Amino acid sequence: MAVPRMMTCALALVTLTACTSGPTGGEPVARGVIGADGATPPPASQSPAALTPAAYKDALASRQKTMSGALKSMLGARTVTALDTRLERAGESLRGAADALAELSPPPEVKSEHDTYVVSLRELANSMGSTSGKVGSRAVCTPGAVLTDLGAVLKRADQAGQALESAGGYPADFIDAGAASKKSRRLSNGHFLRKESLTGRSYLQVDNGSPRDAVITVVRGGKKAVTVYVRKKTKFKIRGVRDGSYKIFFTHGVDWDGKRRAFSRDCSFERFEKSVRFRTVYTATQIRWHDWKITLHAISGGNAPTKRVDPDSFPS
């Protein structure tokens, strides 16, 4: 019985040698001169002439307006999703401005300030790209937290713009908002951010055993009924809940930004998949009602699954 041969592939390095034969009795000779047609080689490229102060000011003003607008848009973002998109656009705007300004030949007296300004813009654009990744992972969640995360690089860009503007009144100081130090602001446990008339008999107990503070929003009929702050490792009982079917949303995070009504760092957005129903039953001899208890952390034997919520659709 013939044994089948194992088929393999081989890789080999092959050197090819080109052979030529010259005229009999001598070696091949290449003759000629580059530019033998008499043409004069083109002169080496020269740096463009320096812009006049007025022309340089106009060029800076155009870029300053674009960059300032991009930053203003980012600072006005109302949700994490919008913040991520606008921060990325702001980075692209600064990178484009840096590339365009690098091609300019500024007036000689501000050449040093101009070069420093361009470098600072590129550094800030690159840092924005890194911070955008943190926004995408929800480690950074508000415009203020973005500025804080940019920190020193934002300050350097601001100083470079001020230096160029001071050197000749050139419009380069486009950063209006400074970066604040990292904070860990918190509300008191059980602080109501929104509260309808709590005249019912039922209560909703919230147990937040997670390592981060939480804000719970209870929605009835598409409208927010109650929003309350519950600190980590604590409980709070919402008393007087009126009858009805409620959806329960909650967000975890660090550093509560009261102006934005959102956590600035390490934020998440979830809701319970099932609604909870509060009902009061009156009989001739009794009044009975439903109370509910929810936990905002995973527990053994838990029967209320939660799911992630798009920040844009979270009731703020």
Side-chain angles (χ1 to χ4, degrees), residues 33-80:
V33 179
I34 296 176
D37 56 356
T40 302
S45 59
Q46 299 179 352
S47 298
L51 295 172
T52 64
Y56 181 58
K57 183 176 292 188
D58 288 344
L60 279 176
S62 175
R63 294 297 171 181
Q64 190 267 358
K65 182 177 180 181
T66 299
M67 293 186 293
S68 180
L71 283 179
K72 184 177 180 180
S73 176
M74 183 273 290
L75 293 173
R78 303 292 299 177
T79 67
V80 184

Side-chain angles (χ1 to χ4, degrees), residues 62-289:
S62 175
R63 294 297 171 181
Q64 190 267 358
K65 182 177 180 181
T66 299
M67 293 186 293
S68 180
L71 283 179
K72 184 177 180 180
S73 176
M74 183 273 290
L75 293 173
R78 303 292 299 177
T79 67
V80 184
T81 305
L83 179 62
D84 194 11
T85 300
R86 296 183 187 187
L87 178 58
E88 185 176 350
R89 290 176 181 170
E92 292 173 352
S93 176
L94 264 67
R95 190 172 293 107
D99 291 344
L101 292 175
E103 297 295 323
L104 299 181
S105 222
E109 63 272 15
V110 293
K111 178 69 165 58
S112 176
E113 289 84 356
H114 171 86
D115 291 344
T116 300
Y117 183 58
V118 170
V119 169
S120 72
L121 291 180
R122 284 179 170 153
E123 183 185 18
L124 180 55
N126 291 336
S127 295
M128 283 181 169
S130 299
T131 301
S132 179
K134 296 178 183 179
V135 175
S137 67
R138 305 297 184 255
V140 173
C141 310
T142 62
V146 166
L147 296 180
T148 298
D149 191 70
L150 292 172
V153 67
L154 184 69
K155 183 178 180 179
R156 285 194 291 274
D158 190 23
Q159 291 174 337
Q162 290 180 17
L164 184 54
E165 187 160 337
S166 298
Y170 298 112
D173 184 14
F174 67 95
I175 301 173
D176 296 326
S181 59
K182 186 176 289 188
K183 301 177 181 179
S184 295
R185 295 163 289 183
R186 306 172 75 192
L187 298 178
S188 59
N189 190 55
H191 179 92
F192 284 100
L193 295 161
R194 181 184 183 87
K195 180 174 65 173
E196 68 171 9
S197 178
L198 296 174
T199 56
R201 294 181 177 272
S202 303
Y203 68 75
L204 172 66
Q205 179 172 310
V206 182
D207 183 355
N208 181 21
S210 72
R212 293 174 294 160
D213 290 357
V215 170
I216 297 86
T217 298
V218 183
V219 177
R220 184 186 64 220
K223 295 183 179 181
K224 291 178 289 185
V226 176
T227 300
V228 64
Y229 193 101
V230 181
R231 288 192 170 195
K232 63 183 180 180
K233 307 298 183 181
T234 63
K235 301 177 182 179
F236 183 74
K237 189 176 289 185
I238 305 172
R239 299 182 182 276
V241 179
R242 296 160 60 186
D243 288 0
S245 180
Y246 295 81
K247 294 180 180 179
I248 301 176
F249 296 78
F250 59 98
T251 174
H252 281 111
V254 175
D255 182 41
W256 179 255
D257 186 337
K259 183 178 180 180
R260 296 284 175 178
R261 295 176 67 86
F263 289 108
S264 71
R265 302 191 305 276
D266 299 329
C267 59
S268 62
F269 304 87
E270 301 176 70
R271 78 172 178 87
F272 286 91
E273 291 187 357
K274 295 182 179 179
S275 298
V276 296
R277 183 172 180 79
F278 293 89
R279 184 185 179 193
T280 303
V281 178
Y282 297 87
T283 68
T285 58
Q286 292 180 325
I287 301 176
R288 288 183 288 184
W289 60 88

